[in-house]
Amino acid sequence: MAQIDLETLRERIRQMDFARGTPEQIALWREDVAESRANLVIEDMTPTIDEDAMFAMMLDEGVPPALMPSIILSLYQPGTRQIAA
């Protein structure tokens, strides 16, 4: 499986116009993401190291968790792990 290109993804996210979270919000989101990840592990759907790194990077960039899926879908070409041009 191909690795997620975190630096290219980070660069694209930095170019986007959306309301980024405050440090306090991001801290709460990190707790929520950790809880969600624990639930995925319980359900035997453990995220890969690359997926964990991608979501951590998105939090570092202040992306609200509710916006993450639409950003991922808008940037990646369907059926690939390649960022769309």
Side-chain angles (χ1 to χ4, degrees):
M1 215 174 227
Q3 285 187 311
I4 296 170
D5 185 345
L6 289 179
E7 290 312 309
T8 300
L9 185 57
R10 181 186 310 270
E11 182 179 309
R12 295 289 293 273
I13 288 171
R14 286 181 175 172
Q15 296 171 358
M16 294 179 162
D17 183 28
F18 61 89
R20 285 163 167 74
T22 66
E24 294 79 17
Q25 288 173 313
I26 294 169
L28 291 174
W29 295 340
R30 284 187 196 286
E31 291 174 16
D32 292 343
V33 168
E35 185 175 315
S36 294
R37 186 190 188 290
N39 289 333
L40 288 172
V41 171
I42 289 169
E43 296 294 325
D44 198 27
M45 297 177 1
T46 306
T48 67
I49 292 170
D50 282 348
E51 291 165 342
D52 281 340
M54 177 180 63
F55 288 110
M57 179 276 299
M58 292 177 95
L59 286 173
D60 291 345
E61 294 300 322
V63 177
L67 188 58
M68 289 179 184
S70 61
I71 287 177
I72 293 167
L73 289 173
S74 73
L75 291 178
Y76 279 89
Q77 296 172 358
T80 73
R81 286 181 166 229
Q82 300 298 314
I83 295 175

